[in-house]
Structures are given as structure tokens and as C-alpha cells.
Amino acid sequence: MFIKKYIQEIWGAVKSLLKGMRRTGYYFTHHKEIITQQYPDNRETLNLPERFKGEVVMPHDENNEHRCTGCQACELACPNGTIKVIFKNELNAEGKKKKAIDKLVYHLELCTMCNLCIEACPSDAIKMAQTFEHSVFDRNELTKILNNPGSKIMDGVE
Amino acid sequence: MEGFGEVLKMYRKTEIINDSKAPPAEGFGEADMIINVGPQHPATHGVLHLVITLNGETIKNVEPHLGYIHRSIEKMCESLSYRQFIYVTSRMDYLSAHINNHACALCVEQGLQVEIPPRAQVIRVLMDELTRIASHELWLGAMAMDLGAFTPFFHAFRERESINDIMEETCGARLTMNYMVPGGVMHDLHPSFQQRVKDFMQLYKSKVHEYDEMLTGNIIFQNRMKNVGVLSAEDAISYGCTGPTARGSGVSCDVRKLYPYEIYNTLEFDEVLETGGDSFSRYMVRVREMQQSIRIIEQLIDNIPEGDFQTKTKAVLKLPKGEFYSRVETARGELGVYIVSEGATTPYRIKFRSPGFSNLSVLNHIAKGSKLGDLVAMMGTLDLVIPDIDR
Amino acid sequence: MWSFSNIANSIHEWLSNNFNPTWTIIIEMVIAGVAVISLFALLGLVLVIMERKVSAWMQIRLGPNRVGPKGMFQSLADTLKLLVKEGLTPGGADKFLFNLAPFIAMIVAMLLMAPIAFAKDFQLWDLNIGVLFVSAVSSIMVISILMAGWASNNKYSLMGAMRSGAQIVSYELSAGLSILAVVVMTGSLQVSEIIESQRNGWWIFKGHLPMLIAFVTFIIAVTAETNRAPFDLAEAESELTAGFHTEYSGMKFALFFLAEYVNVFIVCAIGATLFLGGWMPFHIGKWEGFNHVMDYIPSSIWFFGKTFFLIFLIMWFRWTFPRLRIDQLLNLEWKYLLPISMINLLIVTAMAILGWHF
């Protein structure tokens, strides 16, 4: 029964190959299954989830006020030295000297989007933005100052 | 002039070696040749460098050269606080980043003696199993591509992408999530998490037979995988193999079963064991393990307890003086995290026992005497992730 | 009627009226040469875009879709890129052989074009041993691959070339035997006569099971002969990076690439000619009306339709199956295909003697 076994073997092999070809043939004829996203074309409809960690930003309200007290918690929490807080002395309403942030320097090129700074911030001054197209031609552009020029700390945030 | 005599002797020695009548160096015959596979080669999936001694198509020796992506993660961790060092471990075995983070978080929690809320435990296990499926999906596609079948790669990526989307929604990133923190997880689950996981399981179940049609049952695939790279159970133990590589040889080594952590001891799942020890057994272990992961997720997805997702810990963590060790089952095997603490805010020493390193060491043993094409299949089934090996 | 043969005849008449016979021959040769080269370029462009689209759809992707409508001009852009790329010759290479190899691959592919009947009465050279010519010339292909592999002075290339040598030489056998099955049935080696013999039905239909087996063997063997997956061991990117053309770049690489696709076209054209009736339309027995409709479709469309169907089949193989190992590849030939096609040839001979076909 050598011949029979030989033929059975061949038939089994051919059947297994045909099964695979049926699968690829199915996808060849069913274009609805295509999962490609045409990225630069679908920018308008591209919805990133609100938790997506793209870059650190500092939200400002309409009076150009932010919530950062300059407590340096984010600077300490950052594993890579991405954030640097630079202070200035400011006179408050009563004429007293008060420490406030001059610049909150953020190095996007060092950031690994680990979210530890946002977790550490006690006053919710910074958050993650959903941007992801970070390519620039000059690496200096990646060093960002998060607070707007002339911005102040919001009233009531300690 | 005794020193001169020594030099003269050495000179004579070299002359004898260069003599063509002298027997060739042991193991390297006249018809042999050495080829370098990697550090840039399509089959090595990274920067692994294999120096292969070949006799025609037959492999005589394989010598892995490591270190092309060594970033001294262990040393780096010594200067990072216990909260910070976890994120670095995502970069070791980037395909199961979540499970790496889990091991570190477990170790820190062991030192801090904190209880994890049940909700956080369930979330961690769910994420681990999703990561395991994602990792195995990528392995499946990449291994099929090593064997020359390109199409399953894209089909496997379809399922993997839907897991990545779930991760992106809940953790905020697709690959290096950094979702685990000491004491729990960083955020609560996204409101649509349960529904999306259910959708994914439906997708997976409707597509899983395709892999059988295209790979498992395929006669060419079976011929390429069966009786290739046979690793006996004894060798698997003596080389320190873990994970699917060892379970393919019939060695029971699932940390989830043997040293249960989190809530694994309350879950129903099987430890997948195959006894063949060849590439096909390792393949089958991973394919069946995906189904076990699905089984675990099915048990948990409707029973996520309410409550906190994180225990409040101090802002600055300090581990007591001592040594701490934790182990978890990653997609590749057993990952051990060993922390030596001097009571400071940063660890004194950290050692990672990465599964890839031990699994790679077996390559020379199983590859000897097989064909060059088989080496690619073996490397595929060992599921090597090079940053995990080099760290 | 407007057809290729009418155009060819009118050109010939016009030339004979205006020039003496020697000049006529020379001008006709130049025209044929230009036509073959432009057919080459066209085939390369069409087959590359076809392969990319077929693979994309099988892999649930969109494929090239940026250059031109639905990405149809993608291969044109690729060609432009390859043309302006630097053609590097490695320092340790045998420069003469290294640069010669792609041209030999090309010349072989061009020679193979000669006996193929593209349409009714439209053939470059209807020599009386057409089929033998094809199988003889196609074996020269292996020389160019060996030459490229050896001259590159690269171990990957050398291994790819050696694999390819073993592979092509052994698969020639079963390809030749399955071609012989048709030759035995027809009693002629001439391409035009083989096509003529299929006027009342293609060989794959009127030859019963043995002819079907011969056809399947032929398809498997030519897939291996043209170094395409699942038999692409000579290139095997996951093992040998790119096999025998690892060191080639720019236009020299493009020539190898083009030669591969033209070879695929040629073997499929031979397959269509031998088994599927070449340019013969599809007829069913006594259905006069149906047969009449089929006759209206031009013969060139029949030929190219059948050829492209076979090409699609070979592409389908490529994007479904994993690659074989070298020893399995040779096992398949020597333990399965060769005995089967030998026994098959015996049966076919008996059938031809006893007249058991239609």
C-alpha cells in the first residue's frame, strides 16, 4: 500500500496549500477588509484619545493666566531632566516680593512621555497634549517655553 | 637573553601554524566559511550579530555577539527614584513593556509593604494578558515573515493594532505605556475599555482560524518547523530557558502558576505544555497561550471590582534597607527584578533577569548541524527581542 | 480586419515595395528589436504594479496609491529612481563578470520572446523546434545568476547563486517532461502547430487527467525555475538578505528585476500556449452561437488573458506560502515531481498511440 500512502500524502499536502490560497483569495476579492489608514489625508478625521501622551503643554485661560506656582514638583519627578523651572521675583498687589516662574523650559527632545510630571503636579498646571507631529528641521525648536510671554499665575492657586 | 629565546620560540610556533601541512584549527574545516548574520540583517529583528560557521548550507557553529543596543539600563536605574525607574524598563522588552513595568512595580511594592486595591490588581492582570496577546501576535507575523510568508504578518498586525488602540485609549501610549506605578495603576480604566476589549475578543475569535489555514496546517510550514531545532527538557533547564521556549520542551515553568502574583491563583487557565521540543512545539505553545490569555480576559472583563485604582503612596518613596526580588511571566519567559536597597530614595543596585538572554544562549546548541534556512526558523521561535538581551 | 498580423503584413508589403530585399530584412529586424524592447519595458511596468497591487490586496492593504490614478504610475516612478541611482561595483568584485551578468539575464529573456505567438499569425520566428528552443535557452538563465553570485565576491551572493544553480538545473527536468507530454500529443515541436492542434479544444481539457497533472507539474516547475516564492531560495531575504543580487544597485539591479518579471511572463506564455491553446478562443463542442461570440474576441486578447491568468496564479502562490528549505526543495523535485511526471509521460504516450484523447 505504498502507492496509496504516497498519493494520500500528496493529496493532503495539496489540500493544505489550497486552504491557504482560499484565504488569500478571499482577501484579494474582499476589499472591504482593507485596514490601511491613509494618514496624511485623514488628519481631519483623526481622533486621538484624550489620554494620548503627545507633549507637555501648559493651558492658559483667556486672561493669559496659568496655574503654575513654580513648586518644581515636575522638575523633580522627571527622570530625564526634561523640565527646568526658572524663577523671577515679582511684586504682588501689596508690594511684597513674591517668587514666581519666569520660564518653564521644556525639552521635547528629551521627553519620553512618561506622564510622571503631570501626576506630580499639585495644581494641575500642565497636561499632555494630543499632538504627535513633532518633526522640525532645527533641534532648537524642540526646546519650548511652556508659559506664554507676559502670563501670570491665576488668582487663588497656591 | 632568556626573554629573546621565548620570543624566538613563539615565532617558530607561528611559523608552524602558518604551515599549510599543519592540521587546520579544530572545528574549522577547509570548505567551511564564516558569515556574519547581522547586526543589520532582515532575520535578526534588531541588532543581533551572529557569527555563523557554515559548511555549505550546514551550520557548524553559531556565535552570538551582543551589545549593539546596550544602554546600561541597570546602571541608569541606580540614579533614578523608585517611581522613575519603572518607565525605563519599558525599553527593555518593548513588546511586553507592560509586564516589565509590572515586575518592577511588584518589587517596589514588596519593599514598601503596600496592599494593592483589588481593582488595580484586576486591571494589571487584564493589561498583562492583552500585552501578551499583542506580543505573540507580532511574533507570529514576524516568524511567518522569516519563513518567507509575508501575508500572515499583516493579518496578525490587524489584531495587534486593535489591542494597541485599547492601550492608547486607557494608558495614553501604544508601545511604552508606563501605566504601572507603585501602588496600582496611573489612571482608571477608560469608560469604553470593557466594550472595546469585548470587540477585540470577537474580532480575534472570528479571525483565529485564519492562522491555522495559512500557517499551522500548511504543509510547507509544517515541514519547515517539525523536527527542527530540537531542545530537550534537560537542556532547556540547564540553559535556563523559560517561557514558551522551555514549555515547548515540556518544562513546566509558568510563573503565573508556580509563583502566582496578583490574582492569578484565583483564575482558571492552563499552563500550555508541548513535549516535542522542536520549533513547531514552541510555535504551538505560543498559539495556544494566546487562547489561554483570551480565557483569562473573559473571566475578568465582566468582573472588574469597583474601588480605587491606586493606593496612595508617599510623594518620595524610600525602600527599607534590604534585598527584594520579584518575578513575573512576560511574553518571553521569566523576568526577575532584584533590588538592593540601602534605604535611600534610589536603589543601590538593580539586576534584571531577562528571559531573552537565557533563551538566546541555547541557539548554538540547537542550531548545530541544521541548515541555514532552519536557523531563521529557530530564531523566530525563540522570539528574541534584542534590547531585552542587551539591556 | 484590424489585427496584429494585418499590420505586420502591410508593413512588410510597404517595405518590399520601397526597398530592396536586404534593406527590407534589416529594417524589419530593427522594428522587431524596438518592439521587443518596448514590450519588455511595458511588461516590467505592468507586472510590477500588478504584483504590488495583488500583494497589497491579499495583505489587506491598499498598495501604491499616490502616483497617478490609483497609483498606476508607481512603477514608472520606481524606474526613474532606479535609472538615476548610482550603479555601484564593489571593490573586490570581478568587474567584467559583475557588469556582464545582468545583461546576460536580459538577453536570455529577449531570446525567449522569439518563438512566442502573441496573436494569430503574429510570431517573430516560427522555428520548427520552438519548444525545444525555449527550454534550451531558458537554461542559460542560470549562468547569469551564477555569474552574478560569483563575481560579487560576497558570501551571501555566492550561496544564493549555488542554491539557484541546484534549483534551476533540477526543475528543468520536470518542466521539460511536462512540456514533452504536449509534444507527444501534438507530434510537433513547432509552436504554431501546437496551437493549431488545439483548435477543437485545449490540451488541458481534451487530455484528461494526465494533461492536468502535466499542467500542474509545469506550473510548479516554472515557479521554481523563475526563482519565485515559495521557491525563492536564491533571493530568500530573511536568510541571504537578497541572494545573488545583494551587491547590485541602480539600473543593473533593475535589469535583474526586469528579467525576473519578463521570465515569469514568458513561462506563463509558454504554459498558456502549450496547455491553454495560446491565442485560440474558448470553444465548447457544438454550441455554435457561443463559439461564434468567442471568435469575435481578438486573438491577442485571448493570449494575454490566459498568460496574465497564469501570472496571477504564480503571484497568488508567492503571497500565500512560506519558503521551502533547500533540501525540501530538492526532495520535492526528485521524490515527487520527477517520478510523477515520468509516469505521466508514459501514460500520455500510451494515450497518444491509442488515440484516447478527443
Side-chain angles (χ1 to χ4, degrees), chain C residues 13 51 66 75 152 224 241 257 272 308 311:
Chain C
E13 270 168 32
E51 172 117 83
R66 297 283 130 168
S75 44
S152 294
T241 54
F257 203 59
F308 273 86
I311 292 172

Short mmCIF file of all heavy atoms in Angstrom, two decimals, chain C residues 13 51 66 75 152 224 241 257 272 308 311:
data_model
loop_
_atom_site.label_atom_id
_atom_site.label_comp_id
_atom_site.label_asym_id
_atom_site.label_seq_id
_atom_site.Cartn_x
_atom_site.Cartn_y
_atom_site.Cartn_z
N GLU C 13 4.72 44.59 -46.79
CA GLU C 13 4.45 44.90 -48.20
C GLU C 13 5.00 46.27 -48.58
O GLU C 13 5.64 46.46 -49.60
CB GLU C 13 2.94 44.89 -48.45
CG GLU C 13 2.45 43.51 -48.86
CD GLU C 13 0.93 43.44 -48.81
OE1 GLU C 13 0.28 44.49 -49.08
OE2 GLU C 13 0.42 42.35 -48.48
N GLU C 51 1.98 43.05 -9.41
CA GLU C 51 2.43 42.31 -8.23
C GLU C 51 2.18 43.11 -6.96
O GLU C 51 1.72 42.59 -5.94
CB GLU C 51 3.92 42.00 -8.35
CG GLU C 51 4.52 41.41 -7.10
CD GLU C 51 5.04 40.02 -7.31
OE1 GLU C 51 6.17 39.88 -7.79
OE2 GLU C 51 4.30 39.09 -7.01
N ARG C 66 -0.43 56.65 -4.70
CA ARG C 66 -0.11 58.08 -4.71
C ARG C 66 0.19 58.59 -6.10
O ARG C 66 -0.20 59.69 -6.45
CB ARG C 66 1.10 58.36 -3.81
CG ARG C 66 0.89 58.04 -2.37
CD ARG C 66 0.06 59.10 -1.72
NE ARG C 66 -1.01 58.46 -0.99
CZ ARG C 66 -1.79 59.08 -0.13
NH1 ARG C 66 -1.63 60.34 0.13
NH2 ARG C 66 -2.75 58.43 0.47
N SER C 75 5.16 52.28 -10.77
CA SER C 75 6.33 51.57 -11.28
C SER C 75 7.14 52.45 -12.21
O SER C 75 8.36 52.29 -12.33
CB SER C 75 5.92 50.27 -11.97
OG SER C 75 4.83 50.47 -12.79
N SER C 152 30.25 38.83 -7.47
CA SER C 152 30.01 39.82 -6.43
C SER C 152 31.02 39.74 -5.32
O SER C 152 31.19 40.69 -4.57
CB SER C 152 28.62 39.63 -5.81
OG SER C 152 27.64 39.89 -6.75
N ALA C 224 9.52 27.43 -9.75
CA ALA C 224 10.86 27.22 -9.19
C ALA C 224 11.92 27.74 -10.14
O ALA C 224 12.92 28.33 -9.71
CB ALA C 224 11.08 25.74 -8.92
N THR C 241 19.74 37.93 2.84
CA THR C 241 19.46 39.35 2.54
C THR C 241 18.85 39.51 1.15
O THR C 241 17.68 39.72 1.05
CB THR C 241 20.68 40.26 2.72
OG1 THR C 241 21.76 39.77 1.96
CG2 THR C 241 21.08 40.33 4.17
N PHE C 257 15.82 42.55 -12.03
CA PHE C 257 14.43 42.63 -11.61
C PHE C 257 13.51 42.46 -12.81
O PHE C 257 12.57 41.67 -12.81
CB PHE C 257 14.24 44.00 -10.97
CG PHE C 257 13.09 44.08 -10.02
CD1 PHE C 257 13.04 43.26 -8.92
CD2 PHE C 257 12.09 45.01 -10.21
CE1 PHE C 257 11.99 43.34 -8.02
CE2 PHE C 257 11.04 45.10 -9.32
CZ PHE C 257 10.99 44.27 -8.24
N ALA C 272 0.54 28.96 -21.32
CA ALA C 272 -0.74 29.24 -21.98
C ALA C 272 -0.76 28.65 -23.38
O ALA C 272 -1.78 28.14 -23.85
CB ALA C 272 -0.96 30.74 -22.03
N PHE C 308 -1.91 36.27 -18.41
CA PHE C 308 -2.00 37.01 -17.17
C PHE C 308 -2.74 36.23 -16.09
O PHE C 308 -2.47 36.40 -14.91
CB PHE C 308 -2.64 38.39 -17.40
CG PHE C 308 -1.62 39.41 -17.78
CD1 PHE C 308 -1.23 39.56 -19.10
CD2 PHE C 308 -1.02 40.20 -16.82
CE1 PHE C 308 -0.26 40.48 -19.45
CE2 PHE C 308 -0.05 41.11 -17.16
CZ PHE C 308 0.33 41.26 -18.48
N ILE C 311 -0.01 34.24 -14.66
CA ILE C 311 0.87 35.10 -13.87
C ILE C 311 0.23 35.37 -12.51
O ILE C 311 0.89 35.31 -11.47
CB ILE C 311 1.16 36.42 -14.61
CG1 ILE C 311 2.02 36.15 -15.84
CG2 ILE C 311 1.88 37.40 -13.70
CD1 ILE C 311 2.19 37.35 -16.72
#
